[in-house]
Amino acid sequence: MRELSTDDAPASIGPFSQGIESDGTIYVSGQGPIDPETGDVVSQDVREQTRQTLENVEAVLRAGDASLDDVVKATVFVNDMRYYDRVNEVYGELLSSPYPARSAVEVVKLPVDIKVEIEVVAEA
């Protein structure tokens, strides 16, 4: 097991790694719309939050010599399913066919005051 860490994504806010590579698979912990340079939420617009979230996911993947094209499974957490179409719009722009398997879950609250969080599993 190898820890993946990068300054190009926000630091973890608890006792967990940004990502782990194990036996040819990369596991990226849930990423949110935090600007890694400032530590601030990028916007209140869910599209902008989704874009930054996926940029943070991609930064962790790059630390494992992978990209969004290598993602095989994604889990999307949103704090309101009314945002689902807007999240999909940006998700569809940044990921490509064949799209990863995916789950989308509405949650009451996320660890930080954000609208979206995404975790992925990718091939290394």
Side-chain angles (χ1 to χ4, degrees), residues 51-121:
R51 185 170 305 281
Q52 182 66 54
T53 296
L54 286 169
E55 288 173 5
N56 292 340
V57 166
E58 187 165 41
V60 178
L61 289 168
R62 278 194 312 268
D65 297 319
S67 73
L68 291 175
D69 290 335
D70 299 305
V71 174
V72 296
K73 172 70 169 87
T75 305
V76 177
F77 303 94
V78 294
N79 69 351
D80 191 326
M81 272 300 174
R82 290 181 295 177
Y83 300 139
Y84 186 76
D85 290 340
R86 288 175 262 180
V87 169
N88 272 342
E89 182 181 308
V90 176
Y91 184 96
E93 290 173 12
L94 297 179
L95 284 100
S96 58
S97 182
Y99 294 102
R102 189 180 85 180
S103 302
V105 181
E106 181 180 54
V107 295
V108 172
K109 189 173 182 180
L110 292 160
V112 180
D113 187 21
I114 56 178
K115 292 178 172 60
V116 63
E117 180 177 318
I118 299 173
E119 66 181 24
V120 303
V121 177

Side-chain angles (χ1 to χ4, degrees), residues 1 4-5 16 20 26 30 41 43 60 65 81 101 108 112 119:
M1 178 167 72
L4 303 178
S5 181
F16 56 88
I20 293 289
I26 295 174
V41 176
S43 169
V60 178
D65 297 319
M81 272 300 174
V108 172
V112 180
E119 66 181 24

